[in-house]
Amino acid sequence: MDLRAALAAHRLVAIVRGGDPEAALRTVLAMADEGVELIEVSLSGKDALSVIERAREALGPDRPLGAGTVLTADDARAAQRAGANFAVTPALGEGIGAAHALGLPVLAGVMTPTEILAARTSGAAALKIFPAAQAGGPAYLKALRGPFPHELFVPVGGVDEAATRAYLAAGATAVGVGSPLVGDAADGGSVTALRDRARAFLTVTQKGKP
């Protein structure tokens, strides 16, 4: 898949990390049904590879579906086997190069300018500023865009609806959102409330889109 184009088009990556595999699967499918196009299932969740595999079967072969918390080459290979077609990392590591070699575009976790350069060298398609709130928020992102005007930045960590607006205004290509969007749905919480939150975030991320 063309991750760069997808991030620019959809501007939202939903992050699912759950302790209940059945609930996590329901969460993925409910958000997809609401129109969330980019969904990442973190490998740190319970039976995450099974969730990815079953979600892939339900969504079909072409829908974007990511594996998050890809730390190692083994993680990258397992994610691809399960059906992920993009990978997300929290930091620099061997998972980036391994995923890239397997043909999986990578949203690579970075925080500093040095890490941005290293991620680019490793073949990352886009850059996840993580943890964004602790890194300095929208002001930090705006500062990074000075020396790196052509990079695709995706802030992740503490991104609620208000922060989403601020990051997009500061030049983020997209945002990655976990608990402010998913809530407790991936642990068995309300899917109805999840759907409401998904519609709210879609409204924010699609408003004013170029």
Side-chain angles (χ1 to χ4, degrees):
M1 66 169 290
D2 186 340
L3 181 59
R4 292 175 63 88
L7 289 168
H10 302 300
R11 308 214 295 179
L12 174 65
V13 181
I15 303 166
V16 177
R17 179 183 290 105
D20 180 337
E22 295 300 326
L25 178 61
R26 286 195 300 271
T27 297
V28 171
L29 298 183
M31 288 195 295
D33 185 57
E34 291 296 334
V36 179
E37 291 292 331
L38 295 173
I39 301 172
E40 161 200 341
V41 178
S42 171
L43 296 185
S44 62
K46 186 175 181 180
D47 294 336
L49 291 170
S50 174
V51 174
I52 293 171
E53 186 173 3
R54 295 163 66 195
R56 170 56 67 211
E57 182 177 358
L59 295 173
D62 299 322
R63 187 79 178 250
L65 182 61
T69 322
V70 174
L71 301 177
T72 67
D74 285 343
D75 288 341
R77 288 188 286 267
Q80 185 193 46
R81 287 194 300 269
N85 54 7
F86 69 95
V88 184
T89 76
L92 301 179
E94 67 176 24
I96 298 174
H100 182 65
L102 290 167
L104 299 179
V106 182
L107 175 57
V110 299
M111 184 179 275
T112 66
T114 299
E115 290 175 349
I116 289 168
L117 291 175
R120 178 194 291 171
T121 300
S122 297
L127 304 171
K128 165 183 166 179
I129 305 299
F130 177 78
Q134 287 74 18
Y140 183 63
L141 170 64
K142 188 173 182 179
L144 287 176
R145 287 189 54 78
F148 302 108
H150 304 300
E151 298 296 337
L152 273 60
F153 290 113
V154 182
V156 177
V159 181
D160 58 13
E161 288 182 48
T164 293
R165 294 186 184 93
Y167 281 120
L168 293 175
T173 300
V175 294
V177 186
S179 58
L181 168 56
V182 174
D184 62 355
D187 294 308
S190 170
V191 174
T192 299
L194 168 70
R195 288 179 178 273
D196 289 342
R197 291 190 297 270
R199 287 191 290 270
F201 270 96
L202 287 169
T203 297
V204 171
T205 53
Q206 294 306 298
K207 185 176 181 179
K209 187 174 70 173

